[in-house]
Amino acid sequence: QEQLKESGGGSVQAGGSLRLSCAGSGFRYPDNCMGWFRQVPGGEREGVAARDSDGTTYYADFAKGRFTISKDNAPNIWYLQMNSLKPEDTAVYYCAAEFCVWGLGDAWSSHEFRYRGKGTQVTVSS
């Protein structure tokens, strides 16, 4: 059974950094399309960044230049490095993944992944 688990969330001051990790288990292939999303209570899901299994990456405008999505050499472990954090980055961040053949494309932020984790809280104070 495919599962995803996030870690690395926490509380930081504005300008600080955090690195989130997403560990997948039970997946048939060592790499998959995956994405990082965030959500605040009562708010809509927001795409942060995504990565195809061929290494193509996608970023939301607010994430460009501050966040970096990457993959570990180990199977199905991904990261989101977040620098220069702002209070408006406060949210629950979760990862999602699935096997894909063609890649996510420009619609990555609205893609409904088959599997997702429960999320990790990120709180940025001013």
Side-chain angles (χ1 to χ4, degrees), residues 2-6 21-24 27 31-38 45-53 69 76-80 93-100 104 108-119:
E2 295 85 348
Q3 292 184 327
L4 294 165
K5 183 173 176 60
E6 305 89 347
S21 299
C22 173
F27 286 85
D31 199 356
N32 295 273
C33 289
M34 72 86 60
W36 286 99
F37 297 84
R38 68 186 188 183
R45 182 190 81 160
E46 187 173 38
V48 179
R51 181 186 180 279
D52 290 337
S53 54
I69 189 171
N76 294 311
I77 296 178
W78 301 272
Y79 304 104
L80 182 68
Y93 285 71
Y94 65 92
C95 61
E98 67 183 27
F99 174 73
C100 64
L104 297 168
W108 66 271
S109 62
S110 60
H111 185 76
E112 293 293 339
F113 287 84
R114 185 171 181 180
Y115 307 103
R116 59 165 283 182
K118 294 182 179 180

Side-chain angles (χ1 to χ4, degrees), residues 42-107:
E44 296 289 324
R45 182 190 81 160
E46 187 173 38
V48 179
R51 181 186 180 279
D52 290 337
S53 54
D54 69 357
T56 301
T57 56
Y58 311 86
Y59 292 93
D61 286 343
F62 67 81
K64 291 177 181 176
R66 298 192 300 132
F67 296 179
T68 303
I69 189 171
S70 63
K71 188 188 176 300
D72 195 274
N73 289 331
N76 294 311
I77 296 178
W78 301 272
Y79 304 104
L80 182 68
Q81 177 67 42
M82 304 188 295
N83 299 327
S84 302
L85 283 163
K86 305 174 181 180
E88 51 264 43
D89 293 319
T90 296
V92 173
Y93 285 71
Y94 65 92
C95 61
E98 67 183 27
F99 174 73
C100 64
V101 175
W102 302 110
L104 297 168
D106 291 340

